[in-house]
Amino acid sequence: MTNANDIPVAHTPAGGYGASFPPLILGDCTEPLAPGAPDLRGIWKTISATRGGEPVPADDRLMSYTERIEQCGNRIVDCGGGTIADARADGTEENAVHDVSVYDYTTPIHVVATFEDGAFVLRPVGMPGIEVVRKLDEDGHMIWTRPDMGGVRVVLERVSPPL
């Protein structure tokens, strides 16, 4: 059995990973998902997005957003926008995402991850009031929300089987 602890933490390469996802990071992991963890594994593509309750324009970058999520135990790796966010969803700063911002691929970020009420929640260290939430709706879509960014709400559909 390969556990999440057996696999090194992944980080965004200089300049981001480019137009294609990197190779699977947790692909060899056989540890079951942690209790209470939503199964978000797979590749997800945006099908709709709103900001402040209004639909975003068709050319908004949110409308072309695609991400890949891998999970193993309480570990979750989210690749999207050229960055790799690899963390343990245990609420600790030690096991948080320690990587770079999607906006410039150089600014360090530290983001604590948790599973709460069936959702995956990210909160940047030292930035109270900011959180990114990913959860499944009754139709199996992933709902990605970030209230501090003008009430962003993105609905994504899984376009691959769970990884």
Side-chain angles (χ1 to χ4, degrees):
M1 176 187 238
T2 302
N3 290 316
N5 286 339
D6 301 327
I7 300 168
V9 172
H11 295 280
T12 301
Y17 59 71
S20 299
F21 290 120
L24 290 176
I25 294 151
L26 300 177
D28 293 333
C29 195
T30 56
E31 184 179 347
L33 296 185
D39 188 350
L40 302 175
R41 296 174 295 176
I43 296 174
W44 299 85
K45 286 187 172 240
T46 298
I47 56 173
S48 67
T50 57
R51 190 176 283 112
E54 297 295 319
V56 301
D59 62 349
D60 188 294
R61 70 185 257 171
L62 287 174
M63 291 305 297
S64 61
Y65 185 71
T66 301
E67 69 181 341
R68 182 185 77 198
I69 297 178
E70 299 175 65
Q71 291 175 258
C72 180
N74 71 348
R75 189 165 163 192
I76 185 163
V77 179
D78 184 347
C79 296
T83 62
I84 301 171
D86 186 345
R88 293 280 191 165
D90 64 5
T92 69
E93 190 171 338
E94 176 184 356
N95 294 322
V97 173
H98 298 286
D99 209 78
V100 294
S101 169
V102 68
Y103 297 108
D104 63 9
Y105 305 118
T106 59
T107 302
I109 62 167
H110 307 285
V111 185
V112 172
T114 57
F115 294 128
E116 300 174 22
D117 300 320
F120 170 50
V121 182
L122 293 164
R123 292 186 181 92
V125 174
M127 301 175 84
I130 296 178
E131 68 180 21
V132 178
V133 178
R134 286 175 175 82
K135 64 182 178 180
L136 297 173
D137 71 7
E138 61 279 352
D139 296 321
H141 295 118
M142 181 169 59
I143 309 299
W144 180 97
T145 58
R146 185 157 173 198
D148 66 286
M149 285 182 63
V152 168
R153 182 178 188 273
V154 182
V155 179
L156 302 102
E157 67 179 344
R158 193 178 340 230
V159 296
S160 78
L163 304 169

